[in-house]
């Protein structure tokens, strides 16, 4: 039963955290949406199309953040055989995929009026598309085996190998001459963006982070319950085959 | 009313801004609903199995 020791602690902690993470997510997203769509100014060059930034940029941050989290959980699972790490990596993947997908779609909707094209094979856009495929590959692989442990192991290796893509995304705008603009928030010398735009951006980013925590808890609970069901079933099969 | 139509128009970019927010809300709500349903059904299944096991153990001990 030692396998359940850590998940039991996770479940206790999850019960405490979930109301707070959900509350923070709802509040900061509601406030962030109000600033993003109404209270913040239009850009002097981009007009109101700049409002897409408040969902596009936090979604891009989350796409990368979730991948780093997934790779870190995978490393913990492979190195220390932490019983929860595999489950948390698996729980993070769909959230990261959703945010990466949203980053690409909102970027496309922003690119059309600003760049005159929905899509360009530029380094930033292409590396972000690869990130989406890595998530989809991970999710397919983790469920591809009858034995979940083998699926977890194979997918964890994919997550770690694919992690090389994250710095490529981050610095793609500096390494290559891309259509995409370089970083203006996370950069040396502080953000090059007015506080009237930084506030909704950070509120949305906080809301997305709290959303991820809530989803991680929900999906983690589902994974833990499913694993307990598997263990019980296996025990029943063993007992039956011994003729008990 | 004027401010509502101005909000919808978004300085001519309404056709790009609103779909961007619309699809974001849809996708995030979709993941949330799927996760809530997933957690509930997995925990309900575990609950049911554990109840059966407890019941079986009860009958075994009385036999």
């Amino acid at each position: 039963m030692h396998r359940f020791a850590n998940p039991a602690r996770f479940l206790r902690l999850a019960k405490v955290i979930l109301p707070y993470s959900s509350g923070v997510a709802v509040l900061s997203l509601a406030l962030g949406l109000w600033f993003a769509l109404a209270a913040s100014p239009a850009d002097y060059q981009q007009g109101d199309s700049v409002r897409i930034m408040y969902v596009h940029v936090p979604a891009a941050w989350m796409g990368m953040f979730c991948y780093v989290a997934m790779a870190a959980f995978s490393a913990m699972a492979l190195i220390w055989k932490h019983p929860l790490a595999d489950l948390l990596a698996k729980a993070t993947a769909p959230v990261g995929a959703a945010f990466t997908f949203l980053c690409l779609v909102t970027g496309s909707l922003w690119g059309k009026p600003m760049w005159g094209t929905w899509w360009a094979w530029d380094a930033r856009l292409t590396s972000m598309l690869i990130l989406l495929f890595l998530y989809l590959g991970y999710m397919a692989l983790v469920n591809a085996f009858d034995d979940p442990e083998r699926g977890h192991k194979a997918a964890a290796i994919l997550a770690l190998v694919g992690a090389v893509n994250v710095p490529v995304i981050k610095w793609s705008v500096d390494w290559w001459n891309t259509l995409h603009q370089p970083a203006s928030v996370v950069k040396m010398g502080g953000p090059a963006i007015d506080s009237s735009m930084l506030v909704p951006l950070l509120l949305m980013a906080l809301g997305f982070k709290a959303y991820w925590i809530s989803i991680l808890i929900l999906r983690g609970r589902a994974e833990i319950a499913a694993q307990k069901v598997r263990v019980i079933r296996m025990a029943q099969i063993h007992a039956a085959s011994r003729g008990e | 009313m004027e401010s509502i139509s101005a909000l919808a128009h978004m300085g001519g970019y309404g056709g790009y801004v609103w779909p961007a927010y619309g699809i974001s809300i849809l996708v995030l709500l979709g993941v949330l609903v799927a996760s809530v349903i997933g957690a509930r059904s997995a925990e309900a299944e575990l609950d049911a199995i554990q109840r059966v096991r407890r019941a079986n153990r009860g009958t075994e001990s009385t036999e």
Side-chain angles (χ1 to χ4, degrees), chain A residues 33 36-37 46 48-49 51 54-55 102 109 112-114 208 211 215 218-219 221-222 225 228-229 232-233, chain B residues 7 10-11 13 16-21 23-24 27-28 31-32 35-36 38-39 42-43 45-46 49-50 53:
Chain A
L33 278 177
L37 290 168
Q46 305 198 359
D48 281 305
S49 78
R51 299 186 194 284
Y54 304 122
V55 53
L102 289 177
L109 283 162
K112 183 62 186 168
M114 288 303 111
F208 282 176
Y211 170 90
I215 300 287
L218 287 170
R219 301 190 85 90
R221 271 170 40 189
K228 284 182 182 172
V229 168
I232 292 171
R233 291 246 163 89
Chain B
L7 198 65
M10 280 285 168
Y13 295 112
Y16 301 104
V17 174
W18 289 113
Y21 280 85
I23 193 164
S24 302
V27 167
L28 294 184
V31 171
L32 176 66
S35 305
V36 169
E43 284 172 348
E45 189 186 2
L46 177 64
I49 287 182
Q50 284 177 332
R53 280 180 97 208

Side-chain angles (χ1 to χ4, degrees), chain A residues 15-40:
Chain A
K15 205 171 181 180
V16 177
I17 293 173
L18 187 60
Y20 291 101
S21 61
S22 310
V24 169
V26 170
L27 274 181
S28 40
L29 288 179
L31 211 59
L33 278 177
W34 186 71
F35 273 107
L37 290 168
S40 67

Side-chain angles (χ1 to χ4, degrees), chain A residues 9 14 19 25 34 36 42 61 77 91 93 95 139 149 162 172 178 202 205 207 219 222 241:
Chain A
R9 203 162 47 198
W34 186 71
W61 287 343
V95 187
M139 290 193 288
E149 298 222 344
S172 57
T178 68
L202 295 181
R219 301 190 85 90
S241 66

Side-chain angles (χ1 to χ4, degrees), chain A residues 26 41 48 75 78-79 94 104 109 112 150-151 192 226 234 237 242:
Chain A
V26 170
D48 281 305
L78 287 175
I79 298 167
L104 290 167
L109 283 162
K112 183 62 186 168
R150 287 183 65 197
M234 288 301 254
I237 291 169
R242 282 202 308 269

Side-chain angles (χ1 to χ4, degrees), chain B:
Chain B
M1 270 333 266
E2 201 174 286
S3 68
I4 289 176
S5 69
L7 198 65
H9 189 242
M10 280 285 168
Y13 295 112
Y16 301 104
V17 174
W18 289 113
Y21 280 85
I23 193 164
S24 302
I25 289 167
L26 276 181
V27 167
L28 294 184
L29 278 183
V31 171
L32 176 66
V33 169
S35 305
V36 169
I37 291 174
R40 278 198 189 149
S41 71
E43 284 172 348
E45 189 186 2
L46 177 64
D47 229 40
I49 287 182
Q50 284 177 332
R51 228 176 299 128
V52 169
R53 280 180 97 208
R54 267 197 298 270
N56 285 349
R57 229 176 271 151
T59 54
E60 275 166 26
S61 60
T62 53
E63 276 169 2

Side-chain angles (χ1 to χ4, degrees), chain A residues 105-188:
Chain A
V105 172
T106 55
S108 189
L109 283 162
W110 197 6
K112 183 62 186 168
M114 288 303 111
W115 299 341
T117 178
W118 299 105
W119 181 261
W121 291 105
D122 120 335
R124 174 53 75 78
L125 278 64
T126 307
S127 54
M128 209 62 193
L129 185 65
I130 291 171
L131 187 72
L132 179 63
F133 290 154
L134 283 168
Y135 277 122
L136 298 180
Y138 177 94
M139 290 193 288
L141 196 57
V142 82
N143 291 316
F145 295 86
D146 289 332
D147 175 9
E149 298 222 344
R150 287 183 65 197
H152 287 151
K153 199 165 184 182
I157 292 167
L158 172 69
L160 283 178
V161 172
V164 74
N165 188 40
V166 174
V168 172
I169 297 172
K170 173 76 184 96
W171 287 295
S172 57
V173 285
D174 303 322
W175 292 345
W176 292 286
N177 204 352
T178 68
L179 198 53
H180 196 284
Q181 66 166 48
S184 43
V185 178
V186 186
K187 59 179 279 190
M188 301 282 279

